[in-house]
Amino acid sequence: MSASDEGRAIAKEYLDFKQKELNQTDDTEVAFGTLLYEMGEWRKSGTYFENLLHHRPNDSQIYFGIGRSYNASSEFDQALSYFKRAYNLSMSNANKNTAFTAKICCSTLRAYHDSGNFDQALALGDEALGLYRHLDEHAHAVGIAQVLINIGLVHFDKAYTLKNRGEVLFALGDLIGALELFEKALEMYSRIFREDKNHRDIAKCQHLIGMTHLAIGNYNKAVEALDTAFDYPSNDG
């Protein structure tokens, strides 16, 4: 199979999944609001679901729709509030839809991630995966993949943020604090790129650790870290 054929196959699988997602309910009101969201009309979708809320005040799908609209507009506090309400309603429903609850957790994960609350995001990712474990893995492969992708992004951005915070502390003269953050970032990058030990982000952290040891006066450790950093090949092409 050529790359273009494989790409078309993946695209078709995704489109089929979205079609099934829209068709899996005979609730045309929710389906229309979801369609607006999928078309990128986030504010229209949010307004539509808010109007539905007046006569469906205890429906988790409505709160979820509003939450996604706020999240797409980077209004994370409002999004999290509606996602929490959707989650509580879904969990208290006697006919609980486990797949939908997992989907709420995945969207909440993204809201926490986008607002910089990485630990909460990871906790929601674990919960979503836990819910999916009770379901058929093949039937929910796309949903599970979405959770795993988002968890991976959280780990990467958490490491990146630690590195950046370390650079700020270094500039402010807090060398011990900077060193601690650089080492945490290195640990995370090493886990993320365990199949690529030559990754540039690992080398960058080693370099920062070396320069911090140098500034502190730990010359042997500085040389060791800098030698390790220089051993990494350039990924600049």
Side-chain angles (χ1 to χ4, degrees):
M1 178 183 288
S2 68
S4 59
D5 289 339
E6 185 176 358
R8 280 193 289 269
I10 293 171
K12 184 179 185 304
E13 183 177 349
Y14 178 76
L15 290 172
D16 288 345
F17 166 75
K18 300 308 292 185
Q19 185 65 39
K20 289 177 183 177
E21 195 175 53
L22 287 172
N23 291 338
Q24 68 185 5
T25 176
D26 56 3
D27 191 332
T28 56
E29 289 183 328
V30 169
F32 181 71
T34 301
L35 181 60
L36 285 173
Y37 178 86
E38 296 293 345
M39 292 171 60
E41 298 287 353
W42 303 319
R43 293 195 181 279
K44 289 182 180 179
S45 175
T47 300
Y48 174 82
F49 278 119
E50 284 174 346
N51 289 331
L52 279 184
L53 191 61
H54 294 303
H55 63 275
R56 296 175 62 169
N58 296 309
D59 192 322
S60 60
Q61 296 183 88
I62 309 304
Y63 284 94
F64 177 69
I66 298 171
R68 286 212 299 179
S69 174
Y70 277 122
N71 194 49
S73 301
S74 299
E75 298 177 72
F76 303 121
D77 288 342
Q78 294 93 324
L80 289 167
S81 177
Y82 279 98
F83 285 150
K84 183 177 181 179
R85 179 65 170 155
Y87 174 86
N88 289 337
L89 285 169
S90 182
M91 290 294 288
S92 63
N93 192 324
N95 300 314
K96 183 176 69 175
N97 184 333
T98 302
F100 178 63
T101 307
K103 185 176 180 180
I104 295 172
C105 289
C106 184
S107 291
T108 309
L109 180 168
R110 286 198 294 269
Y112 276 125
H113 169 222
D114 292 343
S115 60
N117 194 333
F118 300 129
D119 291 336
Q120 282 282 47
L122 292 174
L124 266 295
D126 288 341
E127 183 167 1
L129 291 177
L131 289 166
Y132 276 125
R133 288 191 190 100
H134 297 290
L135 304 171
D136 179 69
E137 182 176 337
H138 178 73
H140 298 280
V142 174
I144 294 170
Q146 288 174 338
V147 175
L148 292 172
I149 288 170
N150 280 286
I151 289 174
L153 289 172
V154 172
H155 279 296
F156 183 86
D157 287 346
K158 185 176 182 179
Y160 183 76
T161 300
L162 286 171
K163 178 182 73 67
N164 286 346
R165 286 174 58 195
E167 290 180 305
V168 171
L169 291 181
F170 185 93
L172 293 173
D174 184 357
L175 301 179
I176 301 301
L179 182 61
E180 180 180 345
L181 291 176
F182 291 147
E183 288 176 339
K184 286 182 179 178
L186 175 62
E187 180 183 351
M188 293 195 70
Y189 277 134
S190 297
R191 290 202 306 268
I192 294 167
F193 302 115
R194 58 182 176 271
E195 302 298 329
D196 181 12
K197 298 301 183 182
N198 295 327
H199 196 277
R200 67 194 309 166
D201 287 321
I202 295 177
K204 175 68 173 178
C205 285
Q206 289 283 14
H207 176 77
L208 290 169
I209 288 170
M211 295 304 295
T212 307
H213 276 304
L214 182 63
I216 293 172
N218 299 332
Y219 301 120
N220 290 336
K221 290 184 178 180
V223 170
E224 180 182 352
L226 291 171
D227 280 347
T228 303
F230 290 138
D231 283 341
Y232 289 97
S234 172
N235 288 329
D236 293 333

